[in-house]
Amino acid sequence: MKKLDCRVTTHGERELEAHLVYPLSSDSKRSEYCLDWYIFSPPQLAVEPPRYTVRNLMDDLQVYVRYSTPIVPLAKLADKSCDISPLIRIRRALADGTAKIGEQQLQRELRLLTNIFHDQMRENRVRLCNMLESQTSPEMVLPSCDFFLEELAYFLDDLRSLHILFLDPRVKESDREGLHWADEAISLRTEKTLMRLHKKLGDKPELEAARQKIMEQLRGEARYRAKRGYASVVEKDKPLSLETFLFRESVLKKWSQSALYLSLEHAKTVGRIAHIIAGFAAAVAMAFAVAATVAAQQYYAQFTLPWAILVVIAYIFKDRLKEMLREALISRVPRLVADDVRWLKDHSGKKAGLRKARVIFAEPAQLPGEIIRVRNLKGNPFQGILPQENVVQYHLETVFFGKALPKDSLSETAEEIMRLNLHEWMVKMDTAMDQVSFVDGDRVETGYGQRVYHLNMVLALSEKQNGKVEMICKYRGIVTRSGIIRVEHVESLHS
């Protein structure tokens, strides 16, 4: 079983991306995990209420959850004895002339096949590129390259023979269109991978044979898409074809990945509790008003001026009491539930899990000692005497339901991607360029550098069942007002 894992990288110039990996098991009723993501920022950035609130952070955060792509080697995808290959499962479903084909079965298998192929092409490209970079002799590179091209050609031939099988009357027109989309996406991935390999081979004469074979395959893929009438064909004398190509490539990527992504739907728990609290506050306030009215009647005759004054005052206090009580109780709802509660649903709409998140603005003195110790690793030894940093803690609890995993699911893990936009964090950063003088040989030189800010991050990941922190790591974001320069991995500690 794979282990919990997390890492932080950049996504563009203004977003931090946290990538979490959760092990899954259909044998377990629930798989529950907990993340605490602490971000330490310099006090001059004022990342704290009232300038920056829980709602601001939730608005700045994008969340994606997906099952990991199953691992099926390229050679096994067209192997008739491979029970886990989506291509083989499609063939078997069509081979039984009497069996009913599920409404979503073919669509899901086609998208899954496209994702597996995508990953396998990347793995093969990386393997061959590593051989080239390590100065492996051509006598070893050429057979590996030939073997890869043979496996690829065999798979493509087997895939494209499905077009005839999909003429089966049981196959819906939407499924035939799905095959066209999968075929086109796989052709584009083939082309992209082979182009990178062709470039990597360089101009070494001893590798010319491999380059020629790759170029022949590249020409073949372009001709094939044109013959099938697919939109992703670039024509030199038609500039708009480039725009169409890029758009089509993006659409196909989203279509294929939709088989693995889980949708996030806001749970109604928080809203329901808020309504109950509002009703309770109204009931308490009304009880106060009724008690005040009854008490007034004991001292003054009904409908007299003193009685009317007391009743009016009681109703004024009743309205204020209702609002104060409602606000005081609702402010505590996140502590009882969360700031953000969402159901995780698979492509069929079935609930696959639940995620609950809370945002806490804390002071360093309030944090666990282990978090402070990791934050100070390879940092400023005098941090304790400097102005206190602002700390944002993002506490996340994620649950996956074992029974929700499809029986034929090949995914061993789930992945959660969180992208935090730092635009509001950068607003108060200094734009000044500082002059730096230094000695270069016998001369004093002058240079200019933009002022940078450090965002130190500590992530603690644990399995909720045992409450034990499985992994704790530290990252450091180097940020300017213009954007994120880089994210540095400082340390990772495993239990």
Side-chain angles (χ1 to χ4, degrees), residues 89-101 168 170:
R89 295 197 296 212
I90 291 172
R91 285 190 169 279
R92 289 177 180 173
L94 294 172
D96 187 349
T98 60
K100 184 180 179 181
I101 299 174
D168 190 313
R170 294 172 299 161

Side-chain angles (χ1 to χ4, degrees), residues 6 63 71 154 167-168 177-178 193 212 229 245 249 288 343 353 356 368 395 410 450 452 482 484 489 494:
C6 66
V63 179
I71 300 174
Y154 183 77
L167 296 176
D168 190 313
E177 187 65 20
T193 300
Q212 289 297 330
F245 178 92
E249 186 179 42
F288 167 79
W343 290 108
K356 297 191 294 184
H395 178 80
L410 308 176
Q450 190 172 8
V452 300
S482 302
I484 304 170
H489 176 228
H494 298 266

Side-chain angles (χ1 to χ4, degrees), residues 107-108 110-116 118 181-182 185 249-261:
Q107 288 282 345
R108 183 174 180 275
L110 287 167
R111 287 179 291 166
L112 194 57
L113 176 64
T114 305
N115 287 307
I116 294 173
H118 181 286
W181 281 45
E249 186 179 42
S250 175
V251 169
L252 291 170
K253 181 180 178 180
K254 290 182 175 66
W255 169 80
S256 63
Q257 290 183 344
S258 65
L260 298 173
Y261 275 93

Side-chain angles (χ1 to χ4, degrees), residues 384-455:
I385 64 174
L386 295 176
Q388 183 171 274
E389 293 178 302
N390 292 322
V391 184
V392 178
Q393 177 186 355
Y394 184 80
H395 178 80
L396 173 66
E397 296 177 12
T398 306
V399 181
F400 294 95
F401 305 142
K403 292 183 179 180
L405 277 172
K407 293 181 179 180
D408 58 351
S409 174
L410 308 176
S411 299
E412 298 180 357
T413 60
E415 302 172 13
E416 183 161 9
I417 300 168
M418 296 182 290
R419 293 172 182 162
L420 178 61
N421 191 304
L422 297 181
H423 173 74
E424 291 298 325
W425 301 53
M426 298 172 179
V427 168
K428 286 187 173 293
M429 291 184 179
D430 198 339
T431 58
M433 298 288 288
D434 289 340
Q435 179 177 313
V436 180
S437 298
F438 57 95
V439 175
D440 182 18
D442 296 331
R443 301 177 58 186
V444 175
E445 300 286 349
T446 300
Y448 293 88
Q450 190 172 8
R451 186 169 298 173
V452 300
Y453 296 81
H454 287 187
L455 297 180

Side-chain angles (χ1 to χ4, degrees), residues 131-143:
M131 292 178 68
L132 292 167
E133 290 173 358
S134 61
Q135 303 299 319
T136 305
S137 64
E139 289 76 16
M140 295 183 65
V141 173
L142 287 173

Side-chain angles (χ1 to χ4, degrees), residues 304-373:
T304 63
L305 182 60
W307 175 86
I309 292 174
L310 283 177
V311 170
V312 169
I313 293 174
Y315 270 83
I316 291 173
F317 274 98
K318 172 240 179 187
D319 288 338
R320 292 300 87 212
L321 178 62
K322 183 180 74 172
E323 288 302 314
M324 288 188 294
L325 190 59
R326 186 182 67 84
E327 290 178 6
L329 292 175
I330 287 181
S331 67
R332 297 182 179 274
V333 170
R335 297 186 181 182
L336 301 174
V337 187
D339 292 310
D340 185 54
V341 182
R342 304 195 197 189
W343 290 108
L344 304 178
K345 293 189 175 182
D346 62 18
H347 64 282
S348 66
K350 184 179 180 181
K351 290 180 180 178
L354 179 71
R355 73 185 303 277
K356 297 191 294 184
R358 283 184 60 204
V359 177
I360 304 165
F361 292 92
E363 296 182 1
Q366 299 172 324
L367 304 181
E370 181 66 8
I371 299 300
I372 295 298
R373 187 185 71 81

